[in-house]
Each structure stands twice: as C-alpha cells, then as structure tokens.
Amino acid sequence: GAVVSQHPSWVICKSGTSVKIECRSLDFQATTMFWYRQFPKQSLMLMATSNEGSKATYEQGVEKDKFLINHASLTLSTLTVTSAHPEDSSFYICSLKTGGSTDTQYFGPGTRLTVL
Amino acid sequence: QKEVEQNSGPLSVPEGAIASLNCTYSDRGSQSFFWYRQYSGKSPELIMFIYSNGDKEDGRFTAQLNKASQYVSLLIRDSQPSDSATYLCAVNPQAGTALIFGKGTTLSVSS
C-alpha cells in the first residue's frame, strides 16, 4: 500500500496565527489527495479534495479562505489553517487513493492541532 | 445522497469470541468496499477490501459481501483486547473521489 506522512504530528498555536500542515506521499505519485478533520469521539469529516496543479474542491460548509490547500506536486499537499481559533482545534488527516483496479485509500498519521 | 450505515455500538465481546460488524450502503452501483480500523487518537488503517460477492479471508479477519442485499460485514475470529477500536466501513463511489465512510462501530474486547 501507499505510505503517507504528515508533518507536524502535533502543533499548539495561539489564536489568530496560521498553521501549515504538510502531507507527503512517500512512494506514490498522487494526483488527488483528501483532507479530513475529526473532532474527539466523532466521525471523519471530509473537508476537501486536493488536486495536483489545480484548485482544491471544498465540501459544503468548509471555508476555502480559512483552510488553504496547495497541491503543488504529485507528492506534496499542504493545508494551512489561517487565523486559527480554538474551535479549529481538531485532528487533521490527509489521505490519498491509489487509483487503478484497487483504488484503495490510505491515510497519513494525522496532525493534532490545539489552538489556545 | 449516497450513504453508509453502521451500528455505532459499542459492541462488546469476550476475548477469544467472534466479533461481527455490519454495514449497509445505499448506492446499488457501488463496486468496492473497505474496512478500516481506527484506534483512539490515531488515523484509520486499512484492514481489507472486497469486490466480489462472498467471503474474503485474511488471517483472523473475514469480509463478507452481499451486493443484492447491499450488505457488507467483517468477522474477527479469536478476538483479542488489541482489537478494541472503532471499525469503519467504506464504499468507493467512483474513481478519483473519496471513499464514503460510515460513522464506525466501536468494538470492545474484554480479557
């Protein structure tokens, strides 16, 4: 399966600052990546689909100006949480699909964001 | 709206027993189905996938698919306390799009 890494694994920031989360595909060229958010004891929530070389597609209710996504290469997608507030504190997980006959989805280890 | 339904649980089984996790999906055209395990505070990890009707076995895990009933299940034999986690069922709507996930079933295996 595909190996996905995320950096940082956890981050604490002050309210009003911006935080960038990196998602790397280590052994697969991913034209499409996905970003999820998960609050404690809640289910995964798809935030956006990140397409290499083009604009991301955001799910309904997700503010594109607050959650900036850049998928500049086939192995790197970034999510920037701008002007973070305590309610943005969550577990952010990136993912990719391998396509082809299996078209299986693999997840990164996640980034835990705490906004003070 | 394509949906995947799972019983949230918790499902409690004693160590050594068989745990049975169930999932139904709404899109009859779905072709591939996945089971993920998510430990508390961790991201989901793939357990197995199934495409064809019938059973697919991998170690202690067996996935069962019945497309006519739009039903997928996961059996865990000889359950261990380390199997205690949330199990997510997912359906592939189409290539290039994210899988559609159920809300997950929490399994608790007691020693």
Side-chain angles (χ1 to χ4, degrees), chain A residues 4-17:
Chain A
V4 185
S5 70
Q6 278 185 246
H7 178 80
S9 55
W10 59 270
V11 57
I12 301 173
C13 69
K14 294 182 179 180
S15 185
T17 61

Side-chain angles (χ1 to χ4, degrees), chain A residues 45-99:
Chain A
M45 190 196 83
L46 179 66
M47 299 176 66
T49 299
S50 165
N51 301 298
E52 187 265 337
S54 63
K55 292 182 179 180
T57 303
Y58 291 81
E59 296 298 304
Q60 191 172 6
V62 178
E63 301 174 58
K64 63 179 181 180
D65 294 330
K66 180 169 183 64
F67 299 99
L68 301 179
I69 292 173
N70 185 7
H71 192 158
S73 77
L74 292 174
T75 59
L76 175 64
S77 176
T78 61
L79 168 68
T80 301
V81 183
T82 62
S83 186
H85 291 284
E87 57 266 30
D88 298 322
S89 298
S90 189
F91 192 43
Y92 292 86
I93 315 170
C94 71
S95 180
L96 61 82
K97 278 177 103 183
T98 55

Side-chain angles (χ1 to χ4, degrees), chain A residues 32 34 36 38 41-44 46 49 51 91 93 97 101-110 112, chain B residues 32 34 36 38 41-46 49 51 88 92-99 101-104:
Chain A
T32 303
F34 309 101
Y36 291 83
Q38 188 173 37
K41 299 191 183 300
Q42 294 192 22
S43 55
L44 289 171
L46 179 66
T49 299
N51 301 298
F91 192 43
I93 315 170
K97 278 177 103 183
S101 59
T102 57
D103 203 22
T104 304
Q105 192 162 328
Y106 294 93
F107 289 86
R112 187 159 304 283
Chain B
S32 52
F34 304 80
Y36 290 81
Q38 187 176 23
K42 303 293 185 181
S43 67
E45 58 179 322
L46 179 69
F49 55 83
Y51 302 142
L88 303 170
N92 192 6
Q94 63 185 59
T97 62
L99 299 183
F101 285 87
K103 294 187 183 300

